[in-house]
Amino acid sequence: MTATDPALTALAQGWCALSLLHGRIEAHIERALQARHDLSVREYSLLDVLSRQHDDEGGHLQMKQVADAVVLSQSATTRLVTRLEDRGLLERYLCPTDRRGIYTNVTDAGLKLLDEARPTNDAALREALDEAAKNPELAPLVRVVESLKAPAAA
C-alpha cells in the first residue's frame, strides 16, 4: 500500500467538487434551454460568443478562437456552426481581406432567439447555484463563483 500525499488528495477532492458543480449547472441549464428554446448549452454559448463580435478592426473571431471560447475542438465547433447555420441562426462569409478566412455572424433570427433564451439561461444558472449552495461540499465553490466579477472590456 502506498502513502497518499494529503495535499494531492485535497487537490483531487477539490477538482471533483468543481467538476460536480460544473456538471450539475450545465445539466440544469441544458434542460431549461432545450425545453423552452430547443437550444443546447453549446449552441447558446456559440450564439452568445458570436453576438459579441463587432465589425471594427480585429472584431471578428477566427474559428480557433470561437472553438476556445465554447470549449470545443475546431471540428466540433464547425459541426455546431453548420447545425445553427442550417437552422438560419448563423451565416458564414469570406473575410474581405483574406479569402482564406471565414467569418460567422449571428443572423437576426439568431439574435432574437438568443434574446429570448438569455432569461432562461440566467434563471437556470441562478437555480442551479442556489441548489448547489445547499451542499456543504459545493457551497464554498458557489460563493467563489458568485464573487467573481466580469472582466473589464478591453
PDB file of all heavy atoms in Angstrom, residues 45-78:
ATOM      1  N   SER A  45     -24.124  29.089 -26.039  1.00  0.00           N
ATOM      2  CA  SER A  45     -22.806  29.701 -25.835  1.00  0.00           C
ATOM      3  C   SER A  45     -22.229  30.227 -27.133  1.00  0.00           C
ATOM      4  O   SER A  45     -21.664  31.323 -27.175  1.00  0.00           O
ATOM      5  CB  SER A  45     -21.830  28.691 -25.218  1.00  0.00           C
ATOM      6  OG  SER A  45     -22.247  28.328 -23.929  1.00  0.00           O
ATOM      7  N   LEU A  46     -22.378  29.456 -28.202  1.00  0.00           N
ATOM      8  CA  LEU A  46     -21.862  29.887 -29.504  1.00  0.00           C
ATOM      9  C   LEU A  46     -22.586  31.140 -29.980  1.00  0.00           C
ATOM     10  O   LEU A  46     -21.948  32.101 -30.415  1.00  0.00           O
ATOM     11  CB  LEU A  46     -21.998  28.766 -30.527  1.00  0.00           C
ATOM     12  CG  LEU A  46     -21.498  29.092 -31.932  1.00  0.00           C
ATOM     13  CD1 LEU A  46     -20.003  29.412 -31.928  1.00  0.00           C
ATOM     14  CD2 LEU A  46     -21.778  27.941 -32.875  1.00  0.00           C
ATOM     15  N   LEU A  47     -23.906  31.153 -29.894  1.00  0.00           N
ATOM     16  CA  LEU A  47     -24.663  32.350 -30.284  1.00  0.00           C
ATOM     17  C   LEU A  47     -24.230  33.549 -29.448  1.00  0.00           C
ATOM     18  O   LEU A  47     -24.056  34.654 -29.962  1.00  0.00           O
ATOM     19  CB  LEU A  47     -26.166  32.115 -30.124  1.00  0.00           C
ATOM     20  CG  LEU A  47     -26.811  31.168 -31.129  1.00  0.00           C
ATOM     21  CD1 LEU A  47     -28.263  30.885 -30.735  1.00  0.00           C
ATOM     22  CD2 LEU A  47     -26.738  31.730 -32.533  1.00  0.00           C
ATOM     23  N   ASP A  48     -24.045  33.334 -28.153  1.00  0.00           N
ATOM     24  CA  ASP A  48     -23.646  34.414 -27.257  1.00  0.00           C
ATOM     25  C   ASP A  48     -22.266  34.955 -27.623  1.00  0.00           C
ATOM     26  O   ASP A  48     -22.079  36.171 -27.750  1.00  0.00           O
ATOM     27  CB  ASP A  48     -23.670  33.917 -25.809  1.00  0.00           C
ATOM     28  CG  ASP A  48     -23.390  35.019 -24.821  1.00  0.00           C
ATOM     29  OD1 ASP A  48     -24.067  36.066 -24.877  1.00  0.00           O
ATOM     30  OD2 ASP A  48     -22.496  34.834 -23.974  1.00  0.00           O
ATOM     31  N   VAL A  49     -21.304  34.067 -27.818  1.00  0.00           N
ATOM     32  CA  VAL A  49     -19.938  34.490 -28.177  1.00  0.00           C
ATOM     33  C   VAL A  49     -19.946  35.261 -29.493  1.00  0.00           C
ATOM     34  O   VAL A  49     -19.367  36.346 -29.597  1.00  0.00           O
ATOM     35  CB  VAL A  49     -18.992  33.272 -28.269  1.00  0.00           C
ATOM     36  CG1 VAL A  49     -17.698  33.623 -28.985  1.00  0.00           C
ATOM     37  CG2 VAL A  49     -18.690  32.715 -26.888  1.00  0.00           C
ATOM     38  N   LEU A  50     -20.626  34.719 -30.491  1.00  0.00           N
ATOM     39  CA  LEU A  50     -20.629  35.368 -31.805  1.00  0.00           C
ATOM     40  C   LEU A  50     -21.418  36.678 -31.793  1.00  0.00           C
ATOM     41  O   LEU A  50     -21.091  37.595 -32.547  1.00  0.00           O
ATOM     42  CB  LEU A  50     -21.179  34.420 -32.869  1.00  0.00           C
ATOM     43  CG  LEU A  50     -20.294  33.210 -33.171  1.00  0.00           C
ATOM     44  CD1 LEU A  50     -20.979  32.278 -34.157  1.00  0.00           C
ATOM     45  CD2 LEU A  50     -18.926  33.637 -33.686  1.00  0.00           C
ATOM     46  N   SER A  51     -22.411  36.795 -30.938  1.00  0.00           N
ATOM     47  CA  SER A  51     -23.191  38.034 -30.876  1.00  0.00           C
ATOM     48  C   SER A  51     -22.371  39.191 -30.314  1.00  0.00           C
ATOM     49  O   SER A  51     -22.713  40.347 -30.508  1.00  0.00           O
ATOM     50  CB  SER A  51     -24.450  37.843 -30.032  1.00  0.00           C
ATOM     51  OG  SER A  51     -24.129  37.798 -28.650  1.00  0.00           O
ATOM     52  N   ARG A  52     -21.283  38.867 -29.637  1.00  0.00           N
ATOM     53  CA  ARG A  52     -20.443  39.901 -29.030  1.00  0.00           C
ATOM     54  C   ARG A  52     -19.350  40.395 -29.972  1.00  0.00           C
ATOM     55  O   ARG A  52     -18.587  41.297 -29.633  1.00  0.00           O
ATOM     56  CB  ARG A  52     -19.821  39.384 -27.736  1.00  0.00           C
ATOM     57  CG  ARG A  52     -20.873  39.069 -26.691  1.00  0.00           C
ATOM     58  CD  ARG A  52     -20.276  38.394 -25.471  1.00  0.00           C
ATOM     59  NE  ARG A  52     -21.299  37.798 -24.645  1.00  0.00           N
ATOM     60  CZ  ARG A  52     -22.005  38.441 -23.727  1.00  0.00           C
ATOM     61  NH1 ARG A  52     -21.808  39.720 -23.526  1.00  0.00           N
ATOM     62  NH2 ARG A  52     -22.906  37.812 -23.004  1.00  0.00           N
ATOM     63  N   GLN A  53     -19.257  39.821 -31.173  1.00  0.00           N
ATOM     64  CA  GLN A  53     -18.309  40.304 -32.183  1.00  0.00           C
ATOM     65  C   GLN A  53     -18.723  41.698 -32.629  1.00  0.00           C
ATOM     66  O   GLN A  53     -19.873  42.082 -32.501  1.00  0.00           O
ATOM     67  CB  GLN A  53     -18.317  39.404 -33.416  1.00  0.00           C
ATOM     68  CG  GLN A  53     -17.791  38.034 -33.196  1.00  0.00           C
ATOM     69  CD  GLN A  53     -17.724  37.260 -34.501  1.00  0.00           C
ATOM     70  OE1 GLN A  53     -16.709  36.701 -34.787  1.00  0.00           O
ATOM     71  NE2 GLN A  53     -18.770  37.218 -35.283  1.00  0.00           N
ATOM     72  N   HIS A  54     -17.785  42.409 -33.183  1.00  0.00           N
ATOM     73  CA  HIS A  54     -18.102  43.721 -33.750  1.00  0.00           C
ATOM     74  C   HIS A  54     -17.412  43.847 -35.101  1.00  0.00           C
ATOM     75  O   HIS A  54     -16.530  43.061 -35.446  1.00  0.00           O
ATOM     76  CB  HIS A  54     -17.691  44.848 -32.799  1.00  0.00           C
ATOM     77  CG  HIS A  54     -16.255  44.780 -32.388  1.00  0.00           C
ATOM     78  ND1 HIS A  54     -15.244  45.305 -33.135  1.00  0.00           N
ATOM     79  CD2 HIS A  54     -15.656  44.227 -31.291  1.00  0.00           C
ATOM     80  CE1 HIS A  54     -14.090  45.099 -32.526  1.00  0.00           C
ATOM     81  NE2 HIS A  54     -14.307  44.435 -31.411  1.00  0.00           N
ATOM     82  N   ASP A  55     -17.832  44.810 -35.873  1.00  0.00           N
ATOM     83  CA  ASP A  55     -17.329  44.959 -37.236  1.00  0.00           C
ATOM     84  C   ASP A  55     -16.059  45.791 -37.339  1.00  0.00           C
ATOM     85  O   ASP A  55     -15.523  45.968 -38.419  1.00  0.00           O
ATOM     86  CB  ASP A  55     -18.414  45.567 -38.137  1.00  0.00           C
ATOM     87  CG  ASP A  55     -19.561  44.606 -38.354  1.00  0.00           C
ATOM     88  OD1 ASP A  55     -19.317  43.392 -38.383  1.00  0.00           O
ATOM     89  OD2 ASP A  55     -20.704  45.070 -38.496  1.00  0.00           O
ATOM     90  N   ASP A  56     -15.562  46.307 -36.235  1.00  0.00           N
ATOM     91  CA  ASP A  56     -14.345  47.101 -36.265  1.00  0.00           C
ATOM     92  C   ASP A  56     -13.137  46.212 -36.548  1.00  0.00           C
ATOM     93  O   ASP A  56     -13.221  44.995 -36.541  1.00  0.00           O
ATOM     94  CB  ASP A  56     -14.139  47.811 -34.918  1.00  0.00           C
ATOM     95  CG  ASP A  56     -15.278  48.751 -34.590  1.00  0.00           C
ATOM     96  OD1 ASP A  56     -15.943  49.234 -35.524  1.00  0.00           O
ATOM     97  OD2 ASP A  56     -15.501  48.990 -33.392  1.00  0.00           O
ATOM     98  N   GLU A  57     -11.997  46.840 -36.757  1.00  0.00           N
ATOM     99  CA  GLU A  57     -10.738  46.132 -36.986  1.00  0.00           C
ATOM    100  C   GLU A  57     -10.497  45.126 -35.860  1.00  0.00           C
ATOM    101  O   GLU A  57     -10.553  45.470 -34.679  1.00  0.00           O
ATOM    102  CB  GLU A  57      -9.581  47.137 -37.040  1.00  0.00           C
ATOM    103  CG  GLU A  57      -8.235  46.528 -37.356  1.00  0.00           C
ATOM    104  CD  GLU A  57      -8.122  46.048 -38.790  1.00  0.00           C
ATOM    105  OE1 GLU A  57      -8.818  46.596 -39.666  1.00  0.00           O
ATOM    106  OE2 GLU A  57      -7.348  45.121 -39.026  1.00  0.00           O
ATOM    107  N   GLY A  58     -10.269  43.876 -36.226  1.00  0.00           N
ATOM    108  CA  GLY A  58      -9.992  42.844 -35.232  1.00  0.00           C
ATOM    109  C   GLY A  58     -11.222  42.376 -34.475  1.00  0.00           C
ATOM    110  O   GLY A  58     -11.105  41.678 -33.477  1.00  0.00           O
ATOM    111  N   GLY A  59     -12.404  42.747 -34.940  1.00  0.00           N
ATOM    112  CA  GLY A  59     -13.617  42.432 -34.202  1.00  0.00           C
ATOM    113  C   GLY A  59     -14.189  41.048 -34.459  1.00  0.00           C
ATOM    114  O   GLY A  59     -15.093  40.629 -33.763  1.00  0.00           O
ATOM    115  N   HIS A  60     -13.676  40.356 -35.444  1.00  0.00           N
ATOM    116  CA  HIS A  60     -14.187  39.022 -35.752  1.00  0.00           C
ATOM    117  C   HIS A  60     -13.233  37.969 -35.209  1.00  0.00           C
ATOM    118  O   HIS A  60     -12.024  38.164 -35.176  1.00  0.00           O
ATOM    119  CB  HIS A  60     -14.382  38.843 -37.252  1.00  0.00           C
ATOM    120  CG  HIS A  60     -15.499  39.671 -37.784  1.00  0.00           C
ATOM    121  ND1 HIS A  60     -16.811  39.289 -37.675  1.00  0.00           N
ATOM    122  CD2 HIS A  60     -15.509  40.874 -38.384  1.00  0.00           C
ATOM    123  CE1 HIS A  60     -17.578  40.216 -38.212  1.00  0.00           C
ATOM    124  NE2 HIS A  60     -16.815  41.194 -38.638  1.00  0.00           N
ATOM    125  N   LEU A  61     -13.793  36.861 -34.800  1.00  0.00           N
ATOM    126  CA  LEU A  61     -13.000  35.782 -34.239  1.00  0.00           C
ATOM    127  C   LEU A  61     -12.701  34.735 -35.300  1.00  0.00           C
ATOM    128  O   LEU A  61     -13.557  34.413 -36.117  1.00  0.00           O
ATOM    129  CB  LEU A  61     -13.765  35.109 -33.096  1.00  0.00           C
ATOM    130  CG  LEU A  61     -14.151  35.998 -31.923  1.00  0.00           C
ATOM    131  CD1 LEU A  61     -15.007  35.210 -30.938  1.00  0.00           C
ATOM    132  CD2 LEU A  61     -12.925  36.556 -31.239  1.00  0.00           C
ATOM    133  N   GLN A  62     -11.484  34.204 -35.239  1.00  0.00           N
ATOM    134  CA  GLN A  62     -11.145  33.074 -36.085  1.00  0.00           C
ATOM    135  C   GLN A  62     -11.815  31.842 -35.489  1.00  0.00           C
ATOM    136  O   GLN A  62     -12.153  31.814 -34.302  1.00  0.00           O
ATOM    137  CB  GLN A  62      -9.634  32.868 -36.123  1.00  0.00           C
ATOM    138  CG  GLN A  62      -8.871  34.013 -36.738  1.00  0.00           C
ATOM    139  CD  GLN A  62      -7.367  33.833 -36.598  1.00  0.00           C
ATOM    140  OE1 GLN A  62      -6.893  32.965 -35.869  1.00  0.00           O
ATOM    141  NE2 GLN A  62      -6.629  34.675 -37.290  1.00  0.00           N
ATOM    142  N   MET A  63     -12.001  30.816 -36.285  1.00  0.00           N
ATOM    143  CA  MET A  63     -12.697  29.624 -35.818  1.00  0.00           C
ATOM    144  C   MET A  63     -12.003  29.006 -34.601  1.00  0.00           C
ATOM    145  O   MET A  63     -12.678  28.519 -33.697  1.00  0.00           O
ATOM    146  CB  MET A  63     -12.810  28.605 -36.949  1.00  0.00           C
ATOM    147  CG  MET A  63     -13.939  27.661 -36.770  1.00  0.00           C
ATOM    148  SD  MET A  63     -15.516  28.504 -36.512  1.00  0.00           S
ATOM    149  CE  MET A  63     -16.491  27.749 -37.730  1.00  0.00           C
ATOM    150  N   LYS A  64     -10.680  29.067 -34.541  1.00  0.00           N
ATOM    151  CA  LYS A  64      -9.963  28.537 -33.367  1.00  0.00           C
ATOM    152  C   LYS A  64     -10.336  29.330 -32.122  1.00  0.00           C
ATOM    153  O   LYS A  64     -10.532  28.752 -31.046  1.00  0.00           O
ATOM    154  CB  LYS A  64      -8.456  28.609 -33.601  1.00  0.00           C
ATOM    155  CG  LYS A  64      -7.644  28.370 -32.327  1.00  0.00           C
ATOM    156  CD  LYS A  64      -6.623  27.311 -32.473  1.00  0.00           C
ATOM    157  CE  LYS A  64      -5.797  27.017 -31.265  1.00  0.00           C
ATOM    158  NZ  LYS A  64      -6.457  26.887 -30.000  1.00  0.00           N
ATOM    159  N   GLN A  65     -10.460  30.643 -32.236  1.00  0.00           N
ATOM    160  CA  GLN A  65     -10.857  31.468 -31.099  1.00  0.00           C
ATOM    161  C   GLN A  65     -12.281  31.149 -30.665  1.00  0.00           C
ATOM    162  O   GLN A  65     -12.572  31.104 -29.471  1.00  0.00           O
ATOM    163  CB  GLN A  65     -10.741  32.952 -31.457  1.00  0.00           C
ATOM    164  CG  GLN A  65      -9.320  33.409 -31.694  1.00  0.00           C
ATOM    165  CD  GLN A  65      -9.270  34.803 -32.285  1.00  0.00           C
ATOM    166  OE1 GLN A  65      -9.854  35.067 -33.336  1.00  0.00           O
ATOM    167  NE2 GLN A  65      -8.587  35.700 -31.596  1.00  0.00           N
ATOM    168  N   VAL A  66     -13.150  30.919 -31.626  1.00  0.00           N
ATOM    169  CA  VAL A  66     -14.530  30.544 -31.306  1.00  0.00           C
ATOM    170  C   VAL A  66     -14.533  29.191 -30.594  1.00  0.00           C
ATOM    171  O   VAL A  66     -15.206  29.014 -29.577  1.00  0.00           O
ATOM    172  CB  VAL A  66     -15.411  30.497 -32.576  1.00  0.00           C
ATOM    173  CG1 VAL A  66     -16.794  29.950 -32.270  1.00  0.00           C
ATOM    174  CG2 VAL A  66     -15.504  31.886 -33.202  1.00  0.00           C
ATOM    175  N   ALA A  67     -13.762  28.230 -31.116  1.00  0.00           N
ATOM    176  CA  ALA A  67     -13.681  26.904 -30.504  1.00  0.00           C
ATOM    177  C   ALA A  67     -13.189  27.004 -29.064  1.00  0.00           C
ATOM    178  O   ALA A  67     -13.735  26.355 -28.162  1.00  0.00           O
ATOM    179  CB  ALA A  67     -12.760  25.997 -31.327  1.00  0.00           C
ATOM    180  N   ASP A  68     -12.176  27.819 -28.831  1.00  0.00           N
ATOM    181  CA  ASP A  68     -11.669  28.003 -27.474  1.00  0.00           C
ATOM    182  C   ASP A  68     -12.728  28.629 -26.570  1.00  0.00           C
ATOM    183  O   ASP A  68     -12.866  28.248 -25.406  1.00  0.00           O
ATOM    184  CB  ASP A  68     -10.417  28.886 -27.485  1.00  0.00           C
ATOM    185  CG  ASP A  68      -9.203  28.195 -28.090  1.00  0.00           C
ATOM    186  OD1 ASP A  68      -9.233  26.959 -28.253  1.00  0.00           O
ATOM    187  OD2 ASP A  68      -8.225  28.906 -28.412  1.00  0.00           O
ATOM    188  N   ALA A  69     -13.485  29.574 -27.106  1.00  0.00           N
ATOM    189  CA  ALA A  69     -14.491  30.280 -26.307  1.00  0.00           C
ATOM    190  C   ALA A  69     -15.639  29.362 -25.893  1.00  0.00           C
ATOM    191  O   ALA A  69     -16.205  29.534 -24.812  1.00  0.00           O
ATOM    192  CB  ALA A  69     -15.031  31.489 -27.073  1.00  0.00           C
ATOM    193  N   VAL A  70     -15.986  28.404 -26.736  1.00  0.00           N
ATOM    194  CA  VAL A  70     -17.087  27.496 -26.399  1.00  0.00           C
ATOM    195  C   VAL A  70     -16.578  26.135 -25.915  1.00  0.00           C
ATOM    196  O   VAL A  70     -17.361  25.216 -25.708  1.00  0.00           O
ATOM    197  CB  VAL A  70     -18.089  27.323 -27.569  1.00  0.00           C
ATOM    198  CG1 VAL A  70     -18.816  28.612 -27.865  1.00  0.00           C
ATOM    199  CG2 VAL A  70     -17.422  26.767 -28.810  1.00  0.00           C
ATOM    200  N   VAL A  71     -15.270  26.020 -25.741  1.00  0.00           N
ATOM    201  CA  VAL A  71     -14.603  24.841 -25.187  1.00  0.00           C
ATOM    202  C   VAL A  71     -14.945  23.576 -25.982  1.00  0.00           C
ATOM    203  O   VAL A  71     -15.436  22.593 -25.449  1.00  0.00           O
ATOM    204  CB  VAL A  71     -14.920  24.652 -23.679  1.00  0.00           C
ATOM    205  CG1 VAL A  71     -13.984  23.638 -23.057  1.00  0.00           C
ATOM    206  CG2 VAL A  71     -14.852  25.968 -22.930  1.00  0.00           C
ATOM    207  N   LEU A  72     -14.692  23.662 -27.283  1.00  0.00           N
ATOM    208  CA  LEU A  72     -14.875  22.527 -28.183  1.00  0.00           C
ATOM    209  C   LEU A  72     -13.680  22.448 -29.122  1.00  0.00           C
ATOM    210  O   LEU A  72     -12.972  23.433 -29.318  1.00  0.00           O
ATOM    211  CB  LEU A  72     -16.143  22.700 -29.028  1.00  0.00           C
ATOM    212  CG  LEU A  72     -17.488  22.585 -28.337  1.00  0.00           C
ATOM    213  CD1 LEU A  72     -18.605  22.963 -29.304  1.00  0.00           C
ATOM    214  CD2 LEU A  72     -17.709  21.191 -27.795  1.00  0.00           C
ATOM    215  N   SER A  73     -13.501  21.289 -29.736  1.00  0.00           N
ATOM    216  CA  SER A  73     -12.466  21.171 -30.769  1.00  0.00           C
ATOM    217  C   SER A  73     -12.912  21.984 -31.986  1.00  0.00           C
ATOM    218  O   SER A  73     -14.094  22.322 -32.121  1.00  0.00           O
ATOM    219  CB  SER A  73     -12.283  19.703 -31.166  1.00  0.00           C
ATOM    220  OG  SER A  73     -13.443  19.238 -31.831  1.00  0.00           O
ATOM    221  N   GLN A  74     -11.971  22.268 -32.872  1.00  0.00           N
ATOM    222  CA  GLN A  74     -12.334  23.023 -34.072  1.00  0.00           C
ATOM    223  C   GLN A  74     -13.330  22.254 -34.931  1.00  0.00           C
ATOM    224  O   GLN A  74     -14.267  22.838 -35.475  1.00  0.00           O
ATOM    225  CB  GLN A  74     -11.087  23.384 -34.881  1.00  0.00           C
ATOM    226  CG  GLN A  74     -10.320  24.542 -34.248  1.00  0.00           C
ATOM    227  CD  GLN A  74      -9.179  25.007 -35.120  1.00  0.00           C
ATOM    228  OE1 GLN A  74      -8.072  24.521 -34.994  1.00  0.00           O
ATOM    229  NE2 GLN A  74      -9.466  25.944 -36.011  1.00  0.00           N
ATOM    230  N   SER A  75     -13.172  20.932 -35.031  1.00  0.00           N
ATOM    231  CA  SER A  75     -14.100  20.159 -35.853  1.00  0.00           C
ATOM    232  C   SER A  75     -15.496  20.136 -35.226  1.00  0.00           C
ATOM    233  O   SER A  75     -16.502  20.255 -35.934  1.00  0.00           O
ATOM    234  CB  SER A  75     -13.579  18.741 -36.093  1.00  0.00           C
ATOM    235  OG  SER A  75     -13.433  18.048 -34.865  1.00  0.00           O
ATOM    236  N   ALA A  76     -15.574  20.009 -33.911  1.00  0.00           N
ATOM    237  CA  ALA A  76     -16.884  20.036 -33.238  1.00  0.00           C
ATOM    238  C   ALA A  76     -17.527  21.416 -33.371  1.00  0.00           C
ATOM    239  O   ALA A  76     -18.747  21.534 -33.550  1.00  0.00           O
ATOM    240  CB  ALA A  76     -16.739  19.655 -31.771  1.00  0.00           C
ATOM    241  N   THR A  77     -16.713  22.462 -33.315  1.00  0.00           N
ATOM    242  CA  THR A  77     -17.236  23.822 -33.488  1.00  0.00           C
ATOM    243  C   THR A  77     -17.777  24.012 -34.896  1.00  0.00           C
ATOM    244  O   THR A  77     -18.851  24.598 -35.084  1.00  0.00           O
ATOM    245  CB  THR A  77     -16.140  24.860 -33.176  1.00  0.00           C
ATOM    246  OG1 THR A  77     -15.682  24.659 -31.841  1.00  0.00           O
ATOM    247  CG2 THR A  77     -16.665  26.274 -33.329  1.00  0.00           C
ATOM    248  N   THR A  78     -17.064  23.493 -35.889  1.00  0.00           N
ATOM    249  CA  THR A  78     -17.526  23.593 -37.273  1.00  0.00           C
ATOM    250  C   THR A  78     -18.866  22.878 -37.435  1.00  0.00           C
ATOM    251  O   THR A  78     -19.784  23.404 -38.079  1.00  0.00           O
ATOM    252  CB  THR A  78     -16.476  23.014 -38.237  1.00  0.00           C
ATOM    253  OG1 THR A  78     -15.271  23.784 -38.111  1.00  0.00           O
ATOM    254  CG2 THR A  78     -16.953  23.052 -39.687  1.00  0.00           C
TER     255      THR A  78
END
